[in-house]
Amino acid sequence: MSLIKNKRNSQEDNQADPNGVAENKTKELTAMEQRQRQRFIDKATKVSGKYLRRLEELPGAPAAMQPFFKVLRDIYVEMKNVEKAAETKIVGTYCVMVPHELIYAVGAQPVKLCSGSYTAFAIGDDLVPRDACPLIKAVMGFQAMEVMPIYEDCALMVVPITCDCKKKMAGMLKEMVPTYSLHVPTSKSDDTDMEQYVQELYQLIPELEAVTGQTITYQGLAKSIDQMGFAQYEMSKFNDYKKHVPALIKGTHAMALMNAFSYMPVAQWSQQLHLLNRELARRKKDRQFVSKDKQPRIMVTGSPIIFPNIKIPLLIEETGGILVGDETCMGERSIYDPTVVVDQSFDGLMRSLANRYTRPCTCPTFVDNDQRIYRIKQMIADHQVQGVVYHVLRGCLVYDFEYQTLEDELGKLGIPVVRVESDYNEEDIEQLRIRIEAFIELIKLKDLAARPKKAEIAD
Ligand code: SF4
Ligand code: SF4
């Protein structure tokens, strides 16, 4: 049963019955909604708490991970709002292609609202077509239940129109909350497409300014580009530590760090990452590793992996692998590349942002995707990856389309790939465990001498 449908029905009942019978029914319904909501909260927080515990109990978490775990606990287990001043407005985003710099430049806080909640997915399953991806179902589930502060407190939602699911989700959200559909280019090599995106970003400015009443100035924008630049710098150092053999940090913990990025002000997140990097530097010096020399080094790519749906990375690391690379858009992709400003005018900053948020993006929603394959090969070489887990969320066609090309390309390098399809529930865990365990065993059995040389892959 959907709360949205209930809400609409009770409004219609009230109109048809001005004498108050429906009013009582509405009150009754509200009490029922309350119970339904409480059940939802109990279940959602229990599931999130369980996955957070598994994350924290996974051996080897650096002490500096605690603030990131706390953020995930606050948002998903305690169901609190993001940490911010009371007057700070939240702007919700639904993809890495929304420039956070523009949101910071109006004094608002960006929060990435893509969701991995199994409980919200179960509610959303009733609201959108069966074959829609679980990410969309989870978002619509939270929206319908009206219990998550990060959704409820959102002054504006910015939804990039990247795939059919996002397009239809934007339409549904628009009926309920202020929503801006951001048209992103389909082709990065097409200058007309890119020019349109620059104009799109210009059109987004008044929408954002209306949220806080603050105008975007050259200085404000330059400052937020610098602020993000510091995060990108710390991220590049973190990536270097992640390349270390044996590993200095588990990939599942690195994923938690990147998930926390969605809910923390960038300055605070960068500061915590700086402390984490210092701890990793100490670990390197003291030769304190979290993997053994010959433990299979795995990379994950494909559909987004969003807390609490972290069953795939957990399975990889609980069955003997070490997750050294995360190419999903919840990984380093969101802040990997710095914004390169060539022209120091306001328009120059806007164009630099348009380039930064699209050209290096390796999402398969673009028509031209050679760069995606190149980037994955580069990560394989840099992180000495021995096997790739290709994650496809059920209904996520864009990633499924790309699988065969990647398998062919990596086959030429002798890198095994396994495609794992999953949904937002726990029913497929055992099946996934068997496949991932077998994949890791296969890699273990391969002669270490067959590990690809960095130079060969770079060719
Ligand atoms: S998978 Fe692609 S379209 Fe979806 S949120 Fe990530 S970058 Fe955006
Ligand atoms: S890219 Fe895939 S996961 Fe993201 S919204 Fe579209 S279908 Fe869903």
Side-chain angles (χ1 to χ4, degrees):
M1 180 168 50
S2 111
L3 283 183
I4 288 182
K5 280 175 203 157
N6 283 344
K7 233 188 273 175
R8 284 193 190 133
N9 287 346
S10 37
Q11 280 163 2
E12 282 159 17
D13 285 348
N14 279 338
Q15 282 163 10
D17 179 13
N19 296 326
V21 177
E23 196 184 319
N24 290 335
K25 195 176 165 192
T26 304
K27 276 186 193 148
E28 212 179 286
L29 208 59
T30 305
M32 201 174 78
E33 279 180 8
Q34 287 303 328
R35 283 199 301 279
Q36 197 179 356
R37 283 200 181 121
Q38 196 50 53
R39 274 203 302 276
F40 174 82
I41 292 170
D42 293 346
K43 197 168 174 203
T45 54
K46 196 171 157 203
V47 174
S48 301
K50 183 172 84 177
Y51 280 95
L52 186 62
R53 257 193 320 282
R54 279 177 71 184
L55 195 55
E56 289 173 318
E57 285 168 4
L58 191 70
M65 278 302 297
Q66 290 307 320
F68 304 112
F69 291 152
K70 179 182 180 304
V71 168
L72 296 180
R73 182 176 303 107
D74 284 352
I75 302 293
Y76 283 99
V77 185
E78 309 281 334
M79 282 208 178
K80 290 183 186 167
N81 203 342
V82 289
E83 235 181 84
K84 64 176 186 70
E87 67 280 7
T88 304
K89 303 280 188 199
I90 291 182
V91 173
T93 67
Y94 282 96
C95 174
V96 297
M97 285 184 250
V98 182
H100 282 194
E101 289 85 343
L102 291 175
I103 300 170
Y104 283 118
V106 294
Q109 165 71 41
V111 176
K112 197 161 162 225
L113 294 174
C114 291
S115 174
S117 166
Y118 299 166
T119 322
F121 157 81
I123 299 290
D125 209 19
D126 271 353
L127 305 174
V128 301
R130 191 196 57 193
D131 292 337
C133 81
L135 186 155
I136 301 299
K137 290 179 183 176
V139 168
M140 294 316 297
F142 271 135
Q143 203 63 53
M145 296 309 288
E146 302 176 326
V147 292
M148 273 293 262
I150 53 170
Y151 289 84
E152 297 310 300
D153 193 28
C154 210
L156 176 71
M157 296 196 172
V158 183
V159 186
I161 305 303
T162 48
C163 65
D164 283 352
C165 282
K166 284 273 163 78
K167 189 186 283 179
K168 299 315 287 178
M169 183 185 84
M172 288 180 80
L173 287 175
K174 218 170 243 176
E175 286 181 24
M176 295 179 263
V177 286
T179 303
Y180 185 81
S181 306
L182 183 73
H183 297 272
V184 294
T186 47
S187 167
K188 288 184 267 184
S189 53
D190 184 333
D191 286 345
T192 320
D193 262 18
M194 287 303 294
E195 185 57 33
Q196 266 174 13
Y197 182 58
V198 174
Q199 297 317 316
E200 273 289 318
L201 293 187
Y202 270 109
Q203 283 169 35
L204 176 61
I205 288 179
E207 304 284 334
L208 293 173
E209 289 176 337
V211 167
T212 60
Q214 203 171 308
T215 307
I216 297 188
T217 60
Y218 175 85
Q219 283 78 12
L221 192 53
K223 189 176 159 207
S224 58
I225 290 175
D226 276 356
Q227 213 171 30
M228 286 293 286
F230 181 57
Q232 283 144 356
Y233 168 70
E234 287 297 334
M235 189 65 212
S236 68
K237 286 207 298 190
F238 179 71
N239 267 335
D240 282 343
Y241 289 125
K242 270 183 71 193
K243 288 173 195 164
H244 199 273
V245 185
L248 297 165
I249 183 168
K250 293 225 160 110
T252 313
H253 291 142
M255 279 188 152
L257 154 88
M258 294 312 299
N259 270 262
F261 177 71
S262 301
Y263 316 109
M264 288 170 88
V266 66
Q268 194 188 331
W269 184 84
S270 317
Q271 199 48 46
Q272 296 301 341
L273 178 56
H274 176 73
L275 298 178
L276 176 60
N277 281 335
R278 282 207 340 217
E279 189 172 342
L280 296 182
R282 274 198 304 277
R283 280 187 170 191
K284 187 176 168 185
K285 188 164 159 277
D286 299 343
R287 301 185 57 74
Q288 185 190 343
F289 307 125
V290 295
S291 72
K292 299 195 182 79
D293 247 352
K294 297 189 176 174
Q295 209 168 335
R297 293 174 66 85
I298 308 293
M299 183 170 104
V300 68
T301 182
S303 305
I305 294 177
I306 307 164
F307 187 83
N309 178 38
I310 53 166
K311 58 188 169 188
I312 304 266
L314 278 172
L315 284 173
I316 292 171
E317 297 203 309
E318 287 172 352
T319 56
I322 178 84
L323 185 59
V324 292
D326 171 12
E327 197 281 320
T328 72
C329 70
M330 285 303 283
E332 62 186 56
R333 190 193 299 172
S334 52
I335 54 165
Y336 177 75
D337 294 273
T339 304
V340 180
V341 179
V342 181
D343 169 3
Q344 294 289 339
S345 64
F346 186 83
D347 189 57
L349 299 188
M350 291 294 286
R351 285 173 188 279
S352 304
L353 285 175
N355 277 325
R356 151 70 184 85
Y357 277 88
T358 47
R359 291 210 199 262
C361 182
T362 48
C363 180
T365 50
F366 293 103
V367 172
D368 35 0
N369 261 324
D370 293 351
Q371 197 189 7
R372 173 172 165 75
I373 303 291
Y374 176 80
R375 174 79 190 124
I376 289 172
K377 285 184 185 173
Q378 189 185 38
M379 284 181 77
I380 288 172
D382 287 349
H383 295 267
Q384 300 184 44
V385 169
Q386 294 167 276
V388 173
V389 172
Y390 196 94
H391 172 237
V392 179
L393 280 176
R394 194 153 294 142
C396 179
L397 289 181
V398 282
Y399 279 98
D400 218 0
F401 258 105
E402 298 268 314
Y403 173 72
Q404 198 53 54
T405 315
L406 187 75
E407 192 191 53
D408 293 348
E409 286 294 324
L410 297 192
K412 291 178 201 162
L413 300 173
I415 301 286
V417 192
V418 65
R419 174 188 176 281
V420 292
E421 185 171 315
S422 79
D423 217 337
Y424 279 8
N425 57 48
E426 296 186 313
E427 286 158 25
D428 55 10
I429 286 189
E430 279 319 304
Q431 193 202 352
L432 289 169
R433 184 190 299 279
I434 291 166
R435 298 203 64 210
I436 290 174
E437 209 164 15
F439 184 65
I440 287 170
E441 282 308 310
L442 171 97
I443 295 169
K444 276 185 189 164
L445 289 174
K446 283 184 78 178
D447 184 358
L448 277 183
R451 195 187 288 188
K453 302 280 183 303
K454 200 170 168 178
E456 282 171 18
I457 293 172
D459 281 347

